[in-house]
Amino acid sequence: MRERLIILGHDPGASGAFALMTGSGKLLGVLDTPVLYQGTKTLFYTAHFCEWYAKVTTPYVDCKEVAIIEAVGAMPKQGVSSTFNFGAMYGGASSFLLGMLGVDNVWFETPAKWKKDMGLTKEKTLSLQIATEVFGEEAHDHYWRRKKDNGRAEAALLCHYYLQHMMKGERHDT
């Protein structure tokens, strides 16, 4: 079954990312969350995402698709406008995956749970380090060379987390 599986990981937010991985653990691609800026609003740019997704998944058209999304909430001391924009991005991307993309097997996992299980802390560089250990130096050089690429590393690690935990029948969605 793993050979016929495509996993989409999503680290939400305007500075987040998406990653695609096969069920055998091969990282297919990473994309910064595509955004459109309209005045003070930040919107999920679905057309750009669809182009990337179609390009990366074309060889895997007959595969089962699953998604794992970090289940986030408002952060303490975050402003009302920032919270609203973040929630709009999160809701837009999540709804898109469930509705338009047609991924009917979507898992939500809290950062506290998945990051603890993966040995991550709030230190951003740790996600880059662990993702490099999991996916290799080539992935590091191609996808997450900079500290600000930690969203890319976390999206890829969410895919890896899915394989480690969800494929074994554990269910921690919220």
Side-chain angles (χ1 to χ4, degrees), residues 25-43:
K26 178 183 176 189
L27 188 61
L28 300 174
V30 176
L31 175 73
D32 290 327
T33 298
V35 295
L36 283 174
Y37 297 101
Q38 293 186 340
T40 61
K41 302 291 181 231
T42 305
L43 305 171

Side-chain angles (χ1 to χ4, degrees), residues 67-125:
I68 180 163
I69 303 171
E70 186 176 64
V72 295
M75 295 178 287
K77 300 181 184 177
Q78 188 175 19
V80 174
S81 181
S82 296
T83 300
F84 182 83
N85 278 333
F86 184 77
M89 284 287 296
Y90 177 67
S94 298
S95 297
F96 175 75
L97 290 172
L98 289 164
M100 296 297 292
L101 199 56
V103 176
D104 60 357
N105 191 358
V106 179
W107 298 71
F108 293 88
E109 188 62 87
T110 64
K113 173 66 177 141
W114 85 266
K115 287 183 176 185
K116 178 183 176 194
D117 288 354
M118 294 294 297
L120 296 171
T121 64
K122 292 184 180 191
E123 174 55 43
K124 298 293 186 187
T125 56

